[in-house]
Amino acid sequence: MKTLVFIEHADGKVKKTSLEAVAYAKALGGDVVALALGSIDGGALGETGKYGATRILHAADKKLDHPVIQVYTSVIQQAMQQEGADNLVLANTSLGTPVASKVAIRTGASFASNVMELPNTSSGFLVKRSIYTGKAFAWVEMKSAKKVIAIKKNAAELKEAGAAVSPTPFSPALDDKDFNTKVLSEEKASTAISLPEANIVVSGGRGLKGPEHWGILEELATTLGAATGCSKPVSDMGWRPHHEHVGQTGVKVAPQLYIAIGISGAIQHLAGVNSSKCIVVINKDADAPFFKAADYGIVGDAFDVVPKLTSALKAAK
Amino acid sequence: MKILVCITHVPDTTSRINFIDNNTKFDTAGVQFIIGPYDDYALARAIELKESSGATVTVLHVGPADSEPTIRKALAIGADDAIRVNTEPTDSFFVASQIAEHAKGFDLVLMGRESIDFNGGVVHAMVGELLGIPSVSPVMKLDIEGSKAKMAREIEGGKEYVEANLPLVAGCQEPIAEWKIPNMRGIMSARTKPLKVVESKAADGQARTTKFELPPPKKPVQMISADNVAELVSKLKGEAKVL
Ligand SMILES: Cc1cc2nc3c(=O)[nH]c(=O)nc-3n(C[C@H](O)[C@H](O)[C@H](O)COP(=O)(O)OP(=O)(O)OC[C@H]3O[C@@H](n4cnc5c(N)ncnc54)[C@H](O)[C@@H]3O)c2cc1C
Ligand SMILES: Nc1ncnc2c1ncn2[C@@H]1O[C@H](COP(=O)(O)O)[C@@H](O)[C@H]1O
């Protein structure tokens, strides 16, 4: 059996969830071939070998720097064909998942997104998917011999198992017709820690009363090496950028630690954080619903508690 | 211009999720159903385009008859007519195949970025694939200029501006438009707007749900005094082991 893993990268580094996809593919058994598209340093890409890829293909053509779903689909399909791969595994992202679904249609494979853990293969091939925005799970039977699986963060454990591998150039045929969406420009805060990938997230809600008060939250985040998030009203009012909004209609996070400051804990917000390992809630209202979903809670004024927490963390370093 | 909006019929975002029949069936008891929140954004943008450029808006739902009040709501919000494909959806590919059957001839097919029940995040891409037209998601801004659509797509840490020729499929999210609430006139006229029920076409889904499961109950919260944040830090390190 052979599994191809589509590697996403940003700012010159392979994304952690893509490494998890490699580890997942390795755990399925058989050979693992990784594929990266667009500009990335060969050394950085080669690290993928440590998690189980025995071969790495790199389609470095600059035309692939901006992802176009149709083009990426075609390149992945060509790589699968060339390598004789049975399966495709990748990270469940707004790019990877749609691409994967198209590859599945073209190859007649069974497809599952939002997959949370390694399959149960005791009878058939069953994967556990997150549904109802994390409020429940579904066991899905993948019936075809070929499988395309999009995994959520933490679906496979990252263990260094092998050595770095130097990438092999891959030159797929690129059809102009496939470039059916044109990227005009991009606005990106490249220095920020990626919210969906972050190990620690510090989020603020309407309780912080205005964008001018985000300093205390940012200081806490910097101290922890955390990404910053917010509740929906906070991004609706323009206090924070839209891509920071966490919840049912925003980003779904899955960090080790989620710290919620001045957020009431509406069920729609909780839907975006229920995959967190540990939740800390700071709220001045002891009856705030968020405490019911928390592991640790502090009742208090954010403007008092947050700076104290930052100092305590600095002191404990 | 002809716009098709594909809507889901899903439990209200505040619903508690439960299963019956030995965890094989969703328990609808006491559950309020709504148009999927992302689909609601798609519908709102379609109605804006109808108002600004005279487009026609058709809504489409793949599912059994109990979804009709949700479809009527979309008509009350301002869609002109509706199609319901009468079948129990099995997987994303099956749904996409039904939609593709009816989406030909539309200039713009708007969907939500993701359904909040199945959370596949893929029906838009699959429909694009089946029809051989571009699909873009998640779209947070969409304007039509002649035969092109100009869009802003959310990417990690920011956004990307993209352009594509019509026809195309877009998976929408906020802030593409403000959710719309039906008014009295809309509700009255929705009753008589055409809702066509069609049978499904055969399409073999390659994946099948066998069983549902609920997450394990959560441990009770530990409260820590605001005067003792150092205790929180030591618990995060020693007990929770997350620092
Ligand atoms: C379909 C739908 C989808 C939605 N999707 C999302 C979503 O994805 N994400 C999301 O977040 N919301 C979402 N919402 C909105 C959600 O229902 C809530 O309205 C929202 O989460 C509340 O945001 P908040 O907690 O910041 O504000 P509030 O509910 O106003 O809570 C503010 C909290 O701050 C506390 N507070 C005030 N002052 C202080 C202080 N000085 N120190 C400490 N605490 C203080 C208060 O006690 C209160 O608990 C959605 C709603 C709907 C209907
Ligand atoms: N049963 C359905 N009927 C109509 N549209 C649907 C259906 N299921 C999904 N869609 C559309 O496809 C989008 C993405 O759904 P999904 O891929 O399930 O996350 C939804 O937001 C809807 O716009």
Side-chain angles (χ1 to χ4, degrees):
Chain A
M1 191 175 72
K2 201 179 248 188
T3 303
L4 187 83
V5 178
F6 166 60
I7 301 292
E8 284 190 58
H9 53 88
D11 304 322
K13 280 207 304 250
V14 172
K15 285 196 187 172
K16 188 165 163 236
T17 41
S18 292
L19 293 178
E20 288 174 344
V22 172
Y24 191 99
K26 176 151 173 69
L28 290 180
D31 288 334
V32 179
V33 180
L35 166 70
L37 280 63
S39 308
I40 175 173
D41 176 67
L45 183 56
E47 295 289 303
T48 314
K50 293 188 179 164
Y51 301 94
T54 48
R55 187 169 147 79
I56 302 174
L57 301 178
H58 186 193
D61 196 321
K62 281 229 164 331
K63 278 165 104 177
L64 299 171
D65 281 351
H66 281 293
V68 173
I69 289 180
Q70 190 80 359
V71 178
Y72 272 39
T73 303
S74 156
V75 172
I76 291 173
Q77 193 197 358
Q78 289 178 53
M80 285 183 78
Q81 209 151 37
Q82 176 188 303
E83 300 296 312
D86 310 287
N87 307 319
L88 171 68
V89 174
L90 44 63
N92 198 87
T93 64
S94 62
L95 170 67
T97 312
V99 167
S101 74
K102 288 168 76 92
V103 172
I105 291 181
R106 290 186 191 185
T107 57
S110 283
F111 171 72
S113 63
N114 255 329
V115 171
M116 312 192 46
E117 51 188 56
L118 287 169
N120 177 341
T121 51
S122 56
S123 76
F125 191 101
L126 292 170
V127 291
K128 186 178 177 183
R129 297 186 68 243
S130 161
I131 55 169
Y132 295 103
T133 327
K135 288 190 219 168
F137 313 116
W139 284 97
V140 173
E141 186 188 359
M142 301 184 77
K143 292 187 275 190
S144 307
K146 291 190 169 189
K147 290 163 188 84
V148 174
I149 301 174
I151 60 157
K152 285 189 55 140
K153 189 168 178 256
N154 302 330
E157 201 188 334
L158 271 190
K159 275 196 303 254
E160 285 198 22
V165 173
S166 60
T168 307
F170 177 56
S171 314
L174 298 179
D175 186 342
D176 283 340
K177 276 207 313 291
D178 285 341
F179 287 83
N180 60 12
T181 55
K182 192 164 114 205
V183 177
L184 306 170
S185 62
E186 187 181 282
E187 280 169 22
K188 202 171 163 185
S190 66
T191 49
I193 297 172
S194 147
L195 188 54
E197 295 234 305
N199 274 327
I200 305 180
V201 175
V202 176
S203 253
R206 200 143 60 176
L208 283 171
K209 307 216 162 48
E212 67 278 15
H213 296 135
W214 241 259
I216 52 167
L217 191 144
E218 278 172 342
E219 208 187 328
L220 175 60
T222 310
T223 309
L224 286 165
T228 52
C230 65
S231 66
K232 181 173 186 298
V234 164
S235 70
D236 285 349
M237 291 182 293
W239 295 1
R240 299 296 294 176
H242 187 268
H243 62 257
E244 282 199 2
H245 139 213
V246 171
Q248 176 110 48
T249 48
V251 180
K252 280 93 189 162
V253 298
Q256 292 286 308
L257 175 60
Y258 186 80
I259 304 183
I261 301 163
I263 303 179
S264 58
I267 193 158
Q268 297 95 351
H269 186 82
L270 299 182
V273 308
N274 50 23
S275 301
S276 310
K277 181 162 178 240
C278 177
I279 295 177
V280 171
V281 168
I282 300 169
N283 196 304
K284 72 172 183 192
D285 173 8
D287 292 327
F290 217 146
F291 285 118
K292 287 205 184 72
D295 296 283
Y296 301 100
I298 293 183
V299 177
D301 188 328
F303 298 102
D304 165 48
V305 176
V306 175
K308 280 204 294 204
L309 179 57
T310 306
S311 319
L313 282 162
K314 282 183 177 159
K317 264 190 177 167
Chain B
M1 191 171 60
K2 288 178 69 184
I3 306 176
L4 181 69
V5 182
C6 301
I7 61 165
T8 54
H9 162 77
V10 292
D12 173 12
T13 52
T14 59
S15 309
R16 280 180 169 278
I17 305 298
N18 280 307
F19 301 101
I20 48 172
D21 292 355
N22 197 19
N23 279 333
T24 56
K25 225 175 129 212
F26 179 76
D27 182 2
T28 55
V31 173
Q32 275 267 48
F33 282 84
I34 57 167
I35 301 173
Y38 294 113
D39 315 342
D40 229 354
Y41 286 119
L43 178 62
R45 185 65 191 131
I47 303 302
E48 284 178 3
L49 289 170
K50 171 180 167 172
E51 281 160 4
S52 65
S53 71
T56 60
V57 178
T58 301
V59 291
L60 170 66
H61 173 69
V62 181
D66 53 3
S67 61
E68 290 204 355
T70 302
I71 300 174
R72 289 281 173 208
K73 186 177 170 207
L75 293 170
I77 286 172
D80 299 294
D81 58 351
I83 305 169
R84 180 172 69 80
V85 182
N86 184 33
T87 180
E88 190 70 56
T90 47
D91 74 345
S92 309
F93 178 71
F94 177 80
V95 171
S97 305
Q98 308 309 324
I99 294 174
E101 196 68 5
H102 299 278
K104 291 173 197 120
F106 286 91
D107 304 289
L108 191 58
V109 182
L110 298 184
M111 303 193 190
R113 70 174 290 178
E114 182 177 287
S115 58
I116 66 160
D117 52 356
F118 194 72
N119 293 127
V122 294
V123 169
H124 33 76
M126 287 184 158
V127 170
E129 178 70 23
L130 293 170
L131 294 178
I133 60 176
S135 65
V136 185
S137 178
V139 175
M140 51 201 301
K141 187 173 184 315
L142 180 146
D143 289 302
I144 303 297
E145 287 177 17
S147 62
K148 278 186 168 44
K150 292 208 162 165
M151 293 162 279
R153 224 187 119 235
E154 186 157 273
I155 55 173
E156 221 173 82
K159 48 187 149 175
E160 183 181 79
Y161 294 89
V162 301
E163 174 185 282
N165 286 327
L166 301 178
L168 66 86
V169 188
C172 305
Q173 70 168 31
E174 61 171 12
I176 194 165
E178 298 257 351
W179 282 328
K180 292 196 174 1
I181 308 165
N183 57 27
M184 213 46 218
R185 232 184 70 216
I187 294 168
M188 297 305 288
S189 67
R191 290 184 190 159
T192 53
K193 284 180 178 171
L195 193 173
K196 193 166 81 183
V197 179
V198 296
E199 289 311 314
S200 60
K201 94 180 232 277
D204 185 24
Q206 306 288 337
R208 183 180 65 96
T209 298
T210 56
K211 215 175 170 58
F212 298 106
E213 192 180 307
L214 290 174
K218 194 151 176 70
K219 276 195 295 183
V221 58
Q222 285 189 45
M223 297 306 290
I224 290 165
S225 155
D227 299 321
N228 198 4
V229 290
E231 187 189 339
L232 174 64
V233 175
S234 79
K235 292 212 165 192
L236 291 176
K237 283 194 164 156
E239 193 175 82
K241 300 192 170 51
V242 291
L243 285 185

